[in-house]
Amino acid sequence: MIMDKDIEKIVASEAKIEEVCTNLGKRITEDYQGKDLVLIGLLNGCNPFFSDLLKHIDLKVQVDYMRASSYHGTIKSSREVKILKDLDMSIAKKHVIIVDDIIDTGRTVNCIKEVLSLKGALSIEACVLLDKAEAREEAFDAKYVGLTIPTEFVVGYGLDYQEYYRNLPYVGVLKEEVYKK
Ligand code: IMP
Ligand code: MG
């Protein structure tokens, strides 16, 4: 791809991502047998992880989306998390899994979880493709984690830099020269 030249190294190949989606889907399928489950994707980063993961969940589930913002086009997370789009459906008496591309400081998922906990859900868990565990500033344990990665700025497979690179089919570290230009 034309964007390959901007990538320093690959942290999750297409094959690895496929394996991760298969395994996470299997675990969720086993854990939520007989339960009313709603999967909530966090826009825009959850795409395409969300759609690939959904194909591996063999349950009758509902799907909705929320949008929160914290990066504001930079490579650093900002302290303030804003809810830009709330849920459309009710999650009262339902089990919920928040699905996102990555947990970094933990602020976004924590804030979303807080908002959701006021809506009467029976349980709230999180499922992320990537976890920058060492970058955590607010405690948060995602029950479903694809891969734990070092604290480096990554792009691809939904993750962006200034809204670019989301369509890269793998996840890689962005060359410093790209964002220092
Ligand atoms: P947190 O609130 O700091 O945990 O940040 C979570 C959000 O920041 C994720 O939903 C991503 O959209 C974004 N983010 C965190 N790390 C990266 C990265 O390395 N590349 C691109 N986006 C990231
Ligand atoms: Mg995001």
Side-chain angles (χ1 to χ4, degrees):
M1 281 202 132
I2 191 172
M3 293 169 287
D4 292 342
K5 65 175 187 336
D6 296 341
I7 303 301
E8 179 95 44
K9 63 169 190 273
I10 295 177
V11 297
S13 66
E14 286 184 71
K16 187 71 204 175
I17 291 171
E18 172 61 26
E19 185 191 313
V20 162
C21 290
T22 306
N23 291 337
L24 290 176
K26 223 180 258 167
R27 280 180 57 199
I28 291 172
T29 303
E30 284 164 12
D31 293 351
Y32 288 85
Q33 290 290 324
K35 292 182 176 161
D36 229 343
L37 176 63
V38 184
L39 289 138
I40 300 175
L42 303 189
L43 297 168
N44 295 329
C46 72
N47 267 322
F49 174 53
F50 198 38
S51 49
D52 283 344
L53 175 71
L54 286 173
K55 293 178 214 164
H56 294 285
I57 298 177
D58 191 7
L59 295 169
K60 196 174 164 190
V61 298
Q62 290 176 305
V63 168
D64 202 350
Y65 296 91
M66 286 178 80
R67 183 190 300 271
S69 92
S70 80
Y71 265 50
H72 307 299
T74 66
I75 64 152
K76 276 217 127 145
S77 186
S78 72
R79 297 212 160 260
E80 200 189 342
V81 179
K82 285 199 188 115
I83 303 292
L84 304 176
K85 185 218 169 286
D86 208 339
L87 283 183
D88 290 330
M89 68 171 65
S90 164
I91 54 166
K93 303 209 174 84
K94 289 175 182 170
H95 295 274
V96 167
I97 301 178
I98 304 163
V99 181
D100 203 1
D101 46 7
I102 194 165
I103 303 191
D104 184 9
T105 64
R107 274 192 281 274
T108 306
V109 272
N110 255 328
C111 169
I112 298 280
K113 194 175 171 180
E114 234 168 79
V115 171
L116 294 181
S117 66
L118 304 172
K119 296 178 189 265
L122 293 176
S123 69
I124 305 172
E125 299 291 351
C127 175
V128 291
L129 175 69
L130 304 169
D131 185 2
K132 283 191 204 171
E134 284 162 16
R136 201 74 89 252
E137 289 174 23
E138 289 185 10
F140 192 94
D141 273 328
K143 184 168 183 189
Y144 305 98
V145 172
L147 299 165
T148 302
I149 62 164
T151 309
E152 281 178 301
F153 190 75
V154 292
V155 294
Y157 197 66
L159 291 140
D160 75 301
Y161 172 59
Q162 296 186 339
E163 297 304 324
Y164 292 106
Y165 303 101
R166 291 196 196 273
N167 59 325
L168 212 56
Y170 57 87
V171 179
V173 176
L174 191 61
K175 282 183 185 164
E176 235 180 69
E177 65 195 55
V178 177
Y179 53 84
K180 288 218 163 133
K181 254 185 226 161

